[in-house]
Amino acid sequence: MKRLSLPLDEEIRTSLHAGEPVLLNGEIYTARDAAHKKLHELIQKNKPLPFDLKDCYIYYVGPTPAKPGQVIGSAGPTTSGRMDSYVPELAQYGMQGMIGKGRRNDSVKETIKKNHMVYFVAGGGAGALLSRSIIKREPVAFEELLAEAVTKITVKDFPCFVGIDAEGNDIYDLD
């Protein structure tokens, strides 16, 4: 299992293979449907974004509230397909990768190939386990969205698999 430090340089991103297990370390932004819609609206209005998309990774998660002594509550991935329409636009601003669960459409696969990005798949139903790898959480934007607000999390040995590699190979299509 590879231990990776985010952001990944292009050489490392292009060396990953669909299905490969990895442990992610570094900073990741959280954003789901409503946050993606707000980012899209800001881009369309040519307004500044609340964080720099260059070299960022976005985790599709809406965590539960943290219990006393916890950094974050259960933090399992949400279905990635709901964000598919936003990926090409966010890639233009330098987003390097995404973390979620489930299949992606052909447009996302082409965007990943064109921009040498990577899509990581985290275990659905494993939110309590995944939250143990989140060691820091800071609010970033759209706090009115509550669980769907954008936050910056720091992860240590966050377990996942390469879902779609930079060549467009898809874990869901492997034989």
Side-chain angles (χ1 to χ4, degrees):
M1 183 173 295
K2 287 184 181 174
R3 187 171 268 116
L4 304 174
S5 294
L6 303 174
L8 303 175
D9 64 33
E10 186 169 350
E11 183 179 335
I12 293 173
R13 282 194 319 273
T14 57
S15 74
L16 298 172
H17 302 286
E20 186 172 13
V22 297
L23 296 171
L24 300 179
N25 293 276
E27 294 179 346
I28 299 170
Y29 290 92
T30 68
R32 282 184 44 157
D33 318 45
H36 276 74
K37 182 179 180 188
K38 285 185 170 277
L39 291 171
H40 169 73
E41 290 168 352
L42 289 172
I43 290 169
Q44 294 303 304
K45 293 176 182 174
N46 206 24
K47 293 194 173 188
L49 298 176
F51 64 100
D52 189 359
L53 288 168
K54 184 170 175 20
D55 298 333
C56 85
Y57 290 78
I58 296 180
Y59 182 25
Y60 305 139
V61 61
T64 64
K67 294 179 182 171
Q70 291 181 322
V71 172
I72 196 167
S74 183
T78 194
T79 303
S80 301
R82 295 197 311 269
M83 275 57 72
D84 281 359
S85 64
Y86 302 108
V87 171
E89 181 176 61
L90 298 181
Q92 291 177 356
Y93 285 80
M95 179 178 69
Q96 280 189 1
M98 305 139 288
I99 305 162
K101 70 177 182 182
R103 290 184 174 274
R104 307 309 297 267
N105 68 25
D106 289 340
S107 174
V108 170
K109 288 181 191 179
E110 286 304 313
T111 300
I112 289 171
K113 285 171 46 176
K114 177 183 174 186
N115 296 284
H116 304 124
M117 299 167 68
V118 63
Y119 168 54
F120 295 105
V121 176
L129 174 66
L130 293 169
S131 69
R132 295 180 188 169
S133 293
I134 299 170
I135 59 173
K136 185 176 178 185
R137 181 179 186 206
E138 303 170 43
V140 173
F142 315 134
E143 290 185 43
E144 70 277 9
L145 298 178
L146 305 173
E148 290 198 41
V150 175
T151 63
K152 181 167 62 172
I153 59 174
T154 303
V155 297
K156 182 174 186 213
D157 292 339
F158 187 89
C160 51
F161 294 89
V162 176
I164 302 174
D165 62 33
E167 294 182 7
N169 299 307
D170 188 334
I171 192 172
Y172 294 101
D173 295 333
L174 298 177
D175 290 331

